Amino acid sequence: MSTPARPPGNFEITVDGEPVPARRGQSLAAALFASGRASWRRTRGDGRPRGLFCGIGVCFDCLATVNGIPNVRVCLAEAQPGDTIHTQEGTGHDARGC
Amino acid sequence: MHADAEGAGLPTSVDPEPGPEVTVDVAVIGAGPAGLAAAVTAAGAGCTVALVDSGARPGGQFFRQPAPDLAFSPGITRPRHRGHRAFRALTAALSRANHRDDGRVTELFQHHVWHVATDPTNTERAVTLHAAVGEPPRRRRVVHARCLVLATGAYDRTLPFPGWDLPGVLTAGGAQSLIKAQDTPPGHNVVVAGTGPFLLPVAAGLARAGCRVPAVVEASAARVSGPRMAKSVVGAGAHLGTKLVEAAGYAAALARNRIPVYTGHAVVAAHGADRVHAVTLAPVDRDWHPRMDRSWRLPCDTLAVGYGFTPQLELPISLGCTIRTDTDGNLVVSVDADQRTSVPGVMAAGESTGVAGAETALAEGTIAGRVAAGHCGAGAPSRSHETALRRLRAHRSRLHRFAAALHAAYPVPDGRHAPPGWSTWLTEDTIVCRCEDVPLSLLRIAATELGATDARTAKLLARPGMGWCQGRMCGWATTCLTAGLSGQAPTTVELTGTARRPLARPIPLHLLAESTPPSHEGTSDDA
């Protein structure tokens, strides 16, 4: 499911190996949402899917592994050209997708 | 006093990177309306100031700014929030203080304060802030100050309901920040639900961004223009007029976009597997017991939900500031007429002292900035100073009366009189704590079989509030639920039990290790 049409991004990031457009000044969470992704993590308890919830760095739901560093709040991290995001299972320390 | 930023004599166009330790007169935590006003006021009185915020730029939640280089989509104008002019004036004053007055304000953005210590025996360094810099944290910074203004703001208050942890369900504030700061609509078909006047601008903003909004669902049956409201806001004066014009503007925007508003209704469940695809709406009574026989399903791909706001209180609580419960059921910092907390040298302003909106925060921040300057021996008391303070206090009182009226018009049942009706929306397997996947059934066992009569004990037994967010999301609701399960009303002490966070932010161990004992040289990568 994609969000309403937007112009192409200024650069690309990769999400689990797939290229995803991102715009300068956009958060990684916004780039993920704009690409139609609503979830990019599974909880360590029941493996429930999670994405963006509070959007302002408070809830820690939007965690992902970014450039090899697990548990990054992607709502706070601004997209940089070449950023590599890996969706995260559990604590993020089991399989660092880098 | 000057910040110990290196190169203070550089040309004014250069922003020298401050060192790992910064020493100032006044530290301000939070760069929203209250913090900005406090920083600008204290700097204007001649103090050096460190303005510290976790965001990338000034504004906080209300004045949230997109990145300056974000190109908005064709047909979408860069959003101008209400109070745009006030924000422009504050940031202009801030840059004047920085560029003309020898870098009097050290702006520390993307700084996540995880601990504040006080030392009453040391006037120069009475307050010490420890911050992790960046997301993910890259380094640390320490700020020493003679006094502190806490302007930590608030975030959306959330209530649990079946499916509230599904992707595509996000807070009203989160939806708004995607539109305002990211030019990224959260979905195509967005239901807006919860309670409070904030839902209207969120719905109007979503419609403007091209989303379809099939419903605004307001749990309260009250209307801002109702006679009860008008009666209780007598004395709010011109502010009331402005607010009613504003509300009318949003109502018109909703009508123009044919967005139905269901008052006295709530979203009692969200449905879907990997993303929400529908919500259940039901009429609710005064205590928010739903009439399930009159419920119906509404398809959507996104739900933006918020039940007012929760003040961010871990720093004042860990400092030992006196905390009280406000009329909206929230914990807030107790302050006197000068915005002083019970801890000497620590002022608080804005939503952390009571959810009352941006204009109130501006007034409180200005008062706190003046008082902080006085604390540092700057801005010597004069008749005009006293007159200005008196005016600000009167203005603040009017605004607080207005806020109290809003709280009365949009109450969130907290179980003070009877178990809150919203607790009956939950099923046994409904997640209460999102971080730790704790369902209601475990909370019930903790309360009814293991004897937990307060949220803190329930937390130890069933783990709600033990995860990443440290109970920020579930703390308030869990406390109300636990109290309800044991037939009691939540108290300030119990609410504080789930809001206490000795480390205000999870931080990497290497930064924690670097921070004790304090290093005088700092780390090499901070240069």
Side-chain angles (χ1 to χ4, degrees), chain B residues 367-378:
Chain B
I367 295 171
R370 279 175 177 267
V371 172
H375 182 95
C376 299

Side-chain angles (χ1 to χ4, degrees), chain B residues 292-314:
Chain B
M292 293 309 290
D293 56 321
R294 287 170 52 200
S295 68
W296 79 99
R297 271 193 189 215
L298 189 62
C300 64
D301 61 29
T302 306
L303 169 65
V305 61
Y307 287 94
F309 298 95
T310 299
Q312 189 121 282
L313 284 200
E314 50 277 346

Side-chain angles (χ1 to χ4, degrees), chain B residues 163-181:
Chain B
W164 74 303
D165 66 324
L166 276 172
V169 177
L170 69 170
T171 64
Q176 205 197 30
S177 82
L178 275 179
I179 297 163
K180 266 167 80 171

